Amino acid sequence: MAMLVSRGRLALGLDVERWLAVLASHPADRFLVAQARALAIPLISADSKIRSHTHVNSLW
């Protein structure tokens, strides 16, 4: 990605570092939800996206 952006072949609405951070945060949320579901444990989170998952109990 960084190479394509630096060569002008790809335009992102954010700088590459911020774009990668946003991208990484989404799979991380899903991983946390999946792990809590697999272990049948509640999640403690202030994140409304995580708390909105119906497949896992969340506390906050």
Side-chain angles (χ1 to χ4, degrees), residues 9-41:
R9 297 182 64 197
L10 177 66
L12 301 175
L14 304 167
D15 62 75
V16 174
E17 290 81 16
R18 177 70 182 139
W19 186 85
L20 289 172
V22 169
L23 179 66
S25 72
H26 294 291
D29 290 351
R30 290 186 178 135
F31 174 77
L32 291 173
V33 169
Q35 187 74 18
R37 188 175 179 191
L39 296 174
I41 59 174

Side-chain angles (χ1 to χ4, degrees), residues 37-57:
R37 188 175 179 191
L39 296 174
I41 59 174
L43 280 174
I44 299 174
S45 177
D47 188 326
S48 61
K49 288 174 67 177
I50 290 177
R51 291 193 329 261
S52 69
H53 286 275
T54 59
H55 303 294
V56 67
N57 183 26

